[in-house]
Amino acid sequence: MQKSSLNTNQPLTDSEQRAIDEKWMTLAMQLAHEAELKGEVPVGAVLVQDDVLIASGFNLSILNHDPTAHAEMECIRQAGQVLENYRMLDTTLYVTLEPCAMCAGAMVHSRIKRVVYGADDLKTGAAGSVINLLQHPTFNHQLEVTSGVLAVECASQLSAFFKRRRAEKKAAKQASIMQTK
């Protein structure tokens, strides 16, 4: 459990931890919105240590033509530069969508202490929905996992994006058909 910034001997209460988690998840959601404005799938991530922002990132896979440019990977890359270390000990990563296997592997290798995510990913989630790589017993590092923080809001952000994207594709297809007539 993380320590309170007021008294380092006292652990945070559940409600204090929840308030901190929601604060940082809200920032991750703002980053997800930035990704969406750039035409990316709206996923945002922030890395925090002792309630201080270390790094942030959002999806850039489409824009950068890079399948590894997930929000978590962008955030972890930035954190390595900020910390001047490939280990991110005693940090918490907040992300709006459950990490995939690639991102979960990077979290294990970077020794992030805790991951907090919003929406479950029932297709590729590697924090328990499909597989749990973050707490695999044979790995040399396991993360603490907190799921479902602002889950409804995070899931709604993603759902609205994909609904709009499907409507845009349908409209483009219909416009193309009309032009050929």
Side-chain angles (χ1 to χ4, degrees):
M1 188 158 268
Q2 292 182 350
K3 303 290 182 183
S4 169
S5 59
L6 299 175
N7 182 346
T8 57
N9 296 325
Q10 295 294 321
L12 295 173
T13 65
D14 289 344
S15 63
E16 289 171 329
Q17 186 62 65
R18 185 74 178 183
I20 290 169
D21 290 348
E22 288 180 1
K23 173 181 81 170
W24 292 113
M25 188 62 72
T26 299
L27 179 57
M29 289 181 67
Q30 290 169 4
L31 291 163
H33 181 69
E34 286 186 46
E36 185 173 3
L37 292 175
K38 294 180 180 292
E40 295 281 347
V41 176
V43 179
V46 296
L47 188 76
V48 175
Q49 187 174 48
D50 297 324
D51 205 29
V52 175
L53 179 67
I54 302 297
S56 62
F58 52 81
N59 274 3
L60 287 170
S61 296
I62 297 167
L63 197 62
N64 291 351
H65 311 289
D66 180 358
T68 70
H70 288 191
E72 302 95 309
M73 300 296 285
E74 295 297 307
C75 185
I76 289 169
R77 286 183 189 120
Q78 185 184 100
Q81 297 302 306
V82 170
L83 297 172
E84 296 182 342
N85 198 333
Y86 69 105
R87 299 287 192 230
M88 289 147 207
L89 305 174
D90 298 318
T91 60
T92 299
L93 190 136
Y94 293 87
V95 61
T96 58
L97 180 64
E98 181 179 0
C100 69
M102 173 185 66
C103 295
M107 290 176 205
V108 169
H109 285 294
S110 62
R111 305 298 193 270
I112 290 170
K113 181 178 182 178
R114 180 173 177 248
V115 65
V116 178
Y117 71 87
D120 290 332
D121 186 341
L122 302 178
K123 294 181 180 180
T124 63
S129 289
V130 176
I131 189 170
N132 190 349
L133 296 178
L134 296 174
Q135 297 176 320
H136 198 281
T138 59
F139 288 171
N140 62 347
H141 178 72
Q142 291 83 34
L143 284 77
E144 296 171 27
V145 176
T146 301
S147 61
V149 174
L150 299 180
V152 171
E153 295 86 344
C154 290
S156 294
Q157 190 176 36
L158 285 158
S159 294
F161 169 80
F162 285 114
K163 183 178 181 181
R164 191 181 71 252
R165 189 182 221 184
R166 285 188 298 272
E168 288 168 354
K169 285 185 178 185
K170 184 177 179 180
K173 184 177 178 180
Q174 289 175 344
S176 175
I177 291 170
M178 295 302 285
Q179 286 178 349
T180 59
K181 288 186 176 183

